[in-house]
Amino acid sequence: MSIRSKVLLQLEKKPRRAKELKQILGNDRKVKHALDTLEQKGKIQKKAGVYYLVKQDTDPALRKGTVVKLGPTFGFVAQQEGQDIFIPGKGLGSALVGDEVLVKLFRRPRVEGSLEGEIIQVTKPRQRFVGTIYRERGRCYFAPDDSPFLLLKVQREDSEGLQTDEKVAVEVVHRGFELAGHRVAVKMRFGNSDKAANCARALAFGAGVVQTFPDEVERQAAQLEPVSPDQYQGRLDLRDLPIFTIDGPYTKDIDDAVMVRRTETGFELGVHIADVSHYVKAGSALDEEAFQRGTSVYYANQVAPMLPRRLSNDLCSLNEKVDRLALSCIMQLDEQGRLVDYRFAKSVIQSRVKGVYGELNTLLEQGEQAPQELHEKYAQVKEQLPWMKELYQHRTRLRRERNGIELESRESKLILDEQERCVQVVCAQRGTSEAMIEEFMLLANQCAASLAKEKGLPFVYRVHEEPEAQRVERLRAVLRVCGLPDHFAGQVPTQRELCDLLEQTKGTQLEPVVHISVLRSMAKACYQPNPKGHFGLALEDYAHFTSPIRRYPDLAIHRVLTDYLAGVSQQELERRYTQFVQQASTQSSAKEISAMQLERRVEDCYKAECMHQHLGEEWPGVISGVAKQGLYVELENTVEGLVHSESLCRSEPVLVEGVRLLDPQTGNQWSLGDKVMVRITRTDVPGGHVDLSLV
C-alpha cells in the first residue's frame, strides 16, 4: 500500500494533525510529501493544523463523472446530469476513457460559461479495453480503440507471439500515477485488425456484449415447455382470426402480429405481442440476465439476444401455424382513422403466415398484377391489405396534423461475402409495409402509455423532451447563416415550427443542412417512470410495448399490465413495481446507448473495409458535417468520410457557426449541404475511418 493510501486510511478513521500521522506511519519526509500532494489534488483539506478528508457530497467544486474522451492534450468528463467538463492535459493524470472520476472545477475557466477542471481521483477504474497491438524497438504496446494515440505497455510475459496490427482485448493489471506507468495483460486475441469481422468481435467483447448465456439461464430456458391448451384458460382465444406477422425475410425473433378488419363505424386494428412475461418471471435467472442486457444487440450479421434462443426464436416468437400466447391491444377507429376505444387482453393466437416486407410491398403496389405465388402465399390474409393501407394513410395524415416531426434518415445495409468481408454498402430501402407496421406499433404503444397514465400504474415510459435552449441556439445560428428566419415564438420551437421549417426547405439545397441541424437540436429519447410525453412524435403519452423479446422496458410493462388485467389492486401494484420501473428505466436507457454505440462503431469498421477496394476512385457526396479538422462528406452509399483541413487550406481555416469552413487566404468556402466530388484516399478499418480529398 502506498504512503498516500495509508494517509487516506488514517484520515477515514478521524481527522489528524501531521504530527500524529508521522508518529503512526513513520518517515516524516514521505508523510509530508503525501499530505502536500493529497491537499493539492483536493482529496484532503487542512483547517487549523488538522487534516480532514474532503466531503465530496458537499463541496460544490467537486463533481463526479466518467471520462468519455481522451486526446493527447485534453479530455472530457461527462456528468450524469449537466454539461461535460473540459480537462486540460495537465489535469488528466492517469485517467483512461471509461474511468469514473472525481473532478475539481477551476474557479476561472478559459471559456466563459464552460466547465473546466482537473481529475483528482479515479473512483472506479475501467479494467477491460479493446484495441490494437504495435511493436516498437522490441517492445510491445497496446493502443485502445477509444484513444488510439495512447500506447500502453503490454506486460512482457503476454507479449510473445503478438503481431503489429493484431486486434486484442486487455485488462489493466497495474495502474501507475501517470499513463506511461500502466501495464496491460492480453485476455483475448481476435486476429488482424484489417478485417472488420475481427474488429466487430473485439468491440463486442470490449462492450461486454456476448451471444452465449450463463449455464443457469440456459438451464431455465431448456426446462420451459411449449404452450398447451390448459394454459389458455382465462385468455381471449383469437386462433380463428387471420392474424399474421410482417418482418424481414431472415427475422427469427418475431415479437408482433397484426390484423385489420372493416367495421360498420370504421376499422378494428389488433396488435398482438408475444407474451414473454408468461415465461420470464420476476427474480428468475432468466429475468436477471435480461435486465442486465437490457436489449438485444444487432451488429452487421450478428445478434446478441436479450433472451436465450429457446425463447427468442422458439417459444415466444410468433411463428406461423403454431399456437402462441400473446398480450393483445385491440383498437377501434373511426372512418378517418381516429382512435375511438381500445382494450388490452391476455390472448392465444396462431399466425396464418410469416409475412415479408418486400413481398407485402409488391402486393400493395401491384395488386392483382403481383406474382401468382404471392397471391397463393397470402391467400388467407390478403383481403386485409387494402384496409391496412387505407388505415395507414389515415394514421399518417393524423400524425402530420398533430405536427409529428418526420425526419428523413438514410440507413445503411451491409453486404458481406462468405468470408464475412464487406463487399458493398447500400442505402436500405423502406417501403409502405415497413412504414405501415411502424404506424400500427406506434398506436399500440400510445394506448399502453395512455392506459398506464389514466390508471396511475407504475410504468416505464418512452420520454422525448423538448430541445434544450443551448441546442436551439445552435440551430438558430445555422438558420442565420443559411439566410432563413431564426425566430421562434418561444424559447423552444414548437413541433409546428419545426415541421414548417422542414417543409419549407424540402427539395432545396438547404434540405440536408436544415434536416441535420433540426436532428442535432433534439434531445435524446430515454426511458423514465414519469409520463413526460414524446416531443418528436407530438404525443402526450408514449411507451415501448411491442418488442418484449428484444427490449427489457417492453417486458417490464407487460409484467405490470398482466397484473393489472388480473385485478391486482393499485396499492399492491405500487408495492411491487414502483422501485422496479425506476431501476428498469435507468438500466434500459444506459444499455440502449451502449448498444447503439457498439452498432455504430461496428458498422463504421465494415464501411471502411468496403471502401478499401475503392481507393483512388472518385465519388459524389454531400457535406454532412463541418468542423475545424475538415469536412465530413456522406457518399451516395451512406458511407461518411473526412476531408482533412490540411488538404483544403494552407493556413488555419475559419469555422463559421459550425456550418461553413472558410480559407482566409483564398476566400474558398465549403458549407453544410454542398454537393462535392471526392477521391477515396485512405481507409482505417479498426478506427472505422475513411479519408477523402476534394477533386
Side-chain angles (χ1 to χ4, degrees):
M1 184 182 292
S2 70
I3 189 68
R4 293 183 196 174
S5 298
K6 291 178 180 178
V7 168
L8 291 172
L9 189 62
Q10 291 300 322
L11 294 181
E12 279 180 7
K13 298 175 182 177
K14 68 174 186 177
R16 298 182 188 274
R17 295 180 179 275
K19 185 178 179 180
E20 292 179 79
L21 290 167
K22 290 174 183 177
Q23 288 174 344
I24 296 169
L25 302 174
N27 200 324
D28 291 5
R29 190 165 59 181
K30 283 190 176 181
V31 170
K32 179 66 169 65
H33 183 263
L35 288 169
D36 290 344
T37 303
L38 291 170
E39 187 176 12
Q40 184 182 4
K41 287 184 172 291
K43 294 183 181 181
I44 63 175
Q45 56 185 341
K46 183 180 179 182
K47 291 181 180 178
V50 179
Y51 288 92
Y52 300 80
L53 283 178
V54 169
K55 294 180 179 179
Q56 298 176 4
D57 296 332
T58 58
D59 188 342
L62 293 177
R63 303 290 177 87
K64 296 177 182 178
T66 303
V67 179
V68 291
K69 186 170 183 179
L70 200 62
T73 59
F74 68 95
F76 282 96
V77 170
Q79 304 181 85
Q80 191 166 10
E81 293 182 4
Q83 68 186 99
D84 291 355
I85 305 170
F86 175 78
I87 311 293
K90 63 182 180 181
L92 291 169
S94 62
L96 297 167
V97 172
D99 285 350
E100 292 181 21
V101 296
L102 187 65
V103 177
K104 185 168 187 177
L105 297 181
F106 297 153
R107 281 187 284 183
R108 295 186 182 86
R110 283 172 285 187
V111 179
E112 189 176 351
S114 68
L115 295 180
E116 188 174 337
E118 66 170 335
I119 295 170
I120 61 172
Q121 186 179 356
V122 175
T123 56
K124 185 178 180 182
R126 174 185 171 188
Q127 295 298 334
R128 181 185 290 179
F129 293 84
V130 169
T132 307
I133 291 295
Y134 292 98
R135 283 194 170 273
E136 192 174 288
R137 297 178 183 176
R139 182 79 205 199
C140 194
Y141 296 92
F142 167 79
D145 280 343
D146 41 31
S147 41
F149 70 92
L150 185 62
L151 293 180
L152 304 177
K153 289 180 180 177
V154 178
Q155 60 181 8
R156 291 192 181 277
E157 53 265 41
D158 282 0
S159 61
E160 187 174 345
L162 293 174
Q163 302 296 318
T164 291
D165 292 332
E166 186 174 348
K167 203 76 182 173
V168 299
V170 305
E171 286 186 3
V172 180
V173 291
H174 175 75
R175 285 213 169 217
F177 289 111
E178 297 176 344
L179 292 172
H182 295 335
R183 296 291 183 274
V184 300
V186 174
K187 295 299 180 182
M188 191 79 72
R189 299 171 66 175
F190 301 97
N192 193 281
S193 62
D194 282 342
K195 187 174 181 182
N198 295 338
C199 297
R201 284 188 278 272
L203 288 167
F205 179 84
V209 172
V210 295
Q211 298 183 22
T212 57
F213 288 84
D215 291 343
E216 174 61 16
V217 175
E218 289 285 14
R219 187 186 65 78
Q220 280 193 7
Q223 289 175 344
L224 295 170
E225 297 292 336
V227 292
S228 56
D230 63 323
Q231 294 173 305
Y232 303 164
Q233 188 174 0
R235 287 180 177 266
L236 192 62
D237 193 339
L238 305 176
R239 287 175 292 169
D240 290 339
L241 297 180
I243 294 166
F244 69 114
T245 65
I246 308 177
D247 284 281
Y250 306 112
T251 302
K252 295 180 180 178
D253 49 352
I254 304 174
D255 291 283
D256 56 89
V258 294
M259 193 195 84
V260 173
R261 60 184 172 189
R262 266 292 195 171
T263 65
E264 292 182 0
T265 57
F267 305 87
E268 181 179 270
L269 167 63
V271 172
H272 310 279
I273 307 301
D275 189 3
V276 180
S277 64
H278 174 82
Y279 297 98
V280 182
K281 302 299 185 182
S284 66
L286 274 168
D287 181 52
E288 290 175 5
E289 183 70 14
F291 177 85
Q292 291 303 321
R293 294 186 179 220
T295 180
S296 295
V297 184
Y298 301 85
Y299 54 100
N301 61 343
Q302 302 292 317
V303 57
M306 184 179 78
L307 297 169
R309 285 172 175 80
R310 168 71 169 156
L311 287 168
S312 63
N313 294 3
D314 184 10
L315 296 180
C316 294
S317 185
L318 304 182
N319 300 329
E320 62 181 331
K321 296 182 175 57
V322 291
D323 291 358
R324 286 291 182 258
L325 302 182
L327 182 53
S328 297
C329 178
I330 301 170
M331 296 156 275
Q332 306 299 325
L333 303 103
D334 66 17
E335 290 283 356
Q336 298 303 310
R338 290 184 289 260
L339 183 66
V340 176
D341 195 14
Y342 64 87
R343 65 176 175 133
F344 286 86
K346 302 281 270 191
S347 62
V348 56
I349 67 169
Q350 187 178 117
S351 172
R352 289 290 187 272
V353 62
K354 181 184 177 182
V356 175
Y357 286 128
E359 296 172 352
L360 267 297
N361 288 334
T362 300
L363 281 170
L364 289 167
E365 292 162 10
Q366 298 181 15
E368 292 303 318
Q369 304 305 312
Q372 183 60 30
E373 60 264 26
L374 292 184
H375 285 287
E376 292 173 2
K377 175 179 177 179
Y378 292 93
Q380 296 183 70
V381 301
K382 72 174 185 178
E383 180 187 26
Q384 302 176 47
L385 299 186
W387 304 333
M388 294 175 82
K389 187 174 182 179
E390 184 183 356
L391 178 57
Y392 155 67
Q393 290 169 337
H394 285 312
R395 294 303 305 173
T396 302
R397 172 181 51 78
L398 291 169
R399 189 204 285 219
R400 288 172 181 160
E401 286 179 2
R402 72 169 186 264
N403 301 319
I405 299 168
E406 297 182 59
L407 289 166
E408 295 296 327
S409 61
R410 281 169 30 101
E411 294 186 7
S412 305
K413 182 179 180 181
L414 307 174
I415 311 297
L416 309 186
D417 65 13
E418 293 179 356
Q419 285 73 46
E420 291 190 291
R421 289 196 177 273
C422 187
V423 293
Q424 191 178 7
V425 181
V426 297
C427 184
Q429 299 301 311
R430 189 169 179 269
T432 300
S433 66
E434 289 94 335
M436 184 170 69
I437 291 301
E438 179 183 300
E439 199 64 45
F440 294 166
M441 297 302 115
L442 188 152
L443 186 56
N445 288 337
Q446 184 183 350
C447 290
S450 296
L451 174 66
K453 185 177 179 181
E454 178 188 343
K455 302 299 182 182
L457 306 180
F459 222 59
V460 179
Y461 294 92
R462 183 64 169 175
V463 170
H464 184 227
E465 299 189 76
E466 64 182 20
E468 298 173 356
Q470 188 177 6
R471 290 173 178 256
V472 173
E473 190 50 48
R474 285 200 293 267
L475 174 60
R476 284 197 176 100
V478 172
L479 297 178
R480 284 194 294 271
V481 172
C482 294
L484 294 169
D486 67 332
H487 177 72
F488 301 117
Q491 280 192 331
V492 173
T494 63
Q495 291 100 327
R496 177 72 265 162
E497 288 173 317
L498 291 177
C499 287
D500 288 344
L501 187 57
L502 294 170
E503 186 63 31
Q504 179 186 346
T505 55
K506 193 173 184 178
T508 72
Q509 189 171 346
L510 292 175
E511 181 179 4
V513 184
V514 172
H515 169 88
I516 291 170
S517 300
V518 169
L519 183 63
R520 289 173 178 168
S521 73
M522 295 288 188
K524 285 184 174 67
C526 64
Y527 297 104
Q528 290 190 22
N530 300 311
K532 297 181 181 178
H534 198 292
F535 180 84
L537 295 173
L539 291 173
E540 291 185 8
D541 309 306
Y542 196 63
H544 275 169
F545 159 76
T546 54
S547 292
I549 293 177
R550 300 179 244 185
R551 294 187 305 225
Y552 195 83
D554 306 53
L555 173 56
I557 69 173
H558 274 227
R559 199 169 282 156
V560 177
L561 289 171
T562 294
D563 279 1
Y564 166 76
L565 293 172
V568 175
S569 70
Q570 177 76 22
Q571 184 177 3
E572 179 61 16
L573 287 172
E574 289 179 0
R575 187 192 69 79
R576 289 183 190 179
Y577 295 115
T578 298
Q579 185 177 7
F580 168 69
V581 296
Q582 175 65 68
Q583 293 170 340
S585 298
T586 302
Q587 172 75 354
S588 299
S589 294
K591 288 299 181 179
E592 178 185 58
I593 293 171
S594 177
M596 288 174 61
Q597 290 172 340
L598 172 63
E599 290 164 10
R600 192 177 301 122
R601 291 182 68 182
V602 167
E603 186 175 278
D604 287 344
C605 292
Y606 277 101
K607 286 180 174 179
E609 180 179 63
C610 175
M611 297 314 291
H612 184 75
Q613 64 189 319
H614 298 289
L615 285 172
E617 293 181 8
E618 295 179 4
W619 287 58
V622 175
I623 296 177
S624 55
V626 181
K628 275 279 190 181
Q629 60 263 38
L631 308 172
Y632 291 93
V633 177
E634 184 176 305
L635 307 180
E636 55 189 3
N637 65 352
T638 74
V639 172
E640 188 177 66
L642 175 64
V643 181
H644 291 270
S645 296
E646 304 88 77
S647 69
L648 298 169
C649 314
R650 291 184 178 179
S651 59
E652 184 77 12
V654 177
L655 185 63
V656 183
E657 298 287 7
V659 298
R660 184 174 298 148
L661 201 65
L662 174 67
D663 183 348
Q665 283 192 355
T666 65
N668 291 335
Q669 56 182 350
W670 304 270
S671 300
L672 200 65
D674 284 353
K675 295 180 179 179
V676 292
M677 285 295 295
V678 295
R679 181 176 289 109
I680 316 298
T681 59
R682 178 179 171 271
T683 59
D684 171 15
V685 175
H689 304 306
V690 176
D691 287 350
L692 312 169
S693 63
L694 291 184
V695 176

